[in-house]
Amino acid sequence: NAVIQDETEFECLDACLQRLSVEDRELVIKYYSREKTERIEMRRQLAEFLGVTQDALHARVFRIRRNLRNCVEGCVKKKRLS
């Protein structure tokens, strides 16, 4: 799991989150909110709301997270080179 290590990474994460569609941004934030058993229930509810299986929900969030990671890494690299 990636951990935000400094202000630059946080700024880049915020900028990259803003570049997502509203739907994807809300989905990834809800998906990772809550703790333990509450998280499991939230994910079940999200899948039901979207009309997809929990596996399909996980795959969708994984793709969003991968794109976010690539965006943040590119942003950080660009900021550190400038």
Side-chain angles (χ1 to χ4, degrees):
N1 288 331
V3 175
I4 301 298
Q5 296 180 4
D6 62 31
E7 190 66 25
T8 300
E9 290 176 339
F10 182 78
E11 290 171 2
C12 286
L13 175 60
D14 189 50
C16 291
L17 280 167
Q18 295 306 313
R19 292 170 71 182
L20 293 175
S21 68
V22 172
E23 182 179 309
D24 283 353
R25 183 172 50 248
E26 289 179 358
L27 175 60
V28 79
I29 289 169
K30 286 178 182 177
Y31 188 85
Y32 289 107
S33 68
R34 310 289 162 84
E35 294 294 324
K36 309 220 183 217
T37 55
E38 288 181 351
R39 181 181 294 166
I40 293 166
E41 179 60 20
M42 171 59 76
R43 290 176 181 180
R44 187 193 64 71
Q45 290 174 6
L46 281 170
E48 185 177 313
F49 176 77
L50 294 170
V52 298
T53 66
Q54 289 187 31
D55 287 342
L57 175 66
H58 176 76
R60 182 172 172 183
V61 171
F62 179 81
R63 283 191 298 273
I64 296 167
R65 191 179 74 198
R66 183 185 60 221
N67 291 338
L68 270 175
R69 182 177 54 245
N70 291 340
C71 178
V72 170
E73 288 172 356
C75 173
V76 167
K77 188 179 289 185
K78 184 177 178 182
K79 285 183 178 248
R80 290 188 176 152
L81 290 175
S82 58

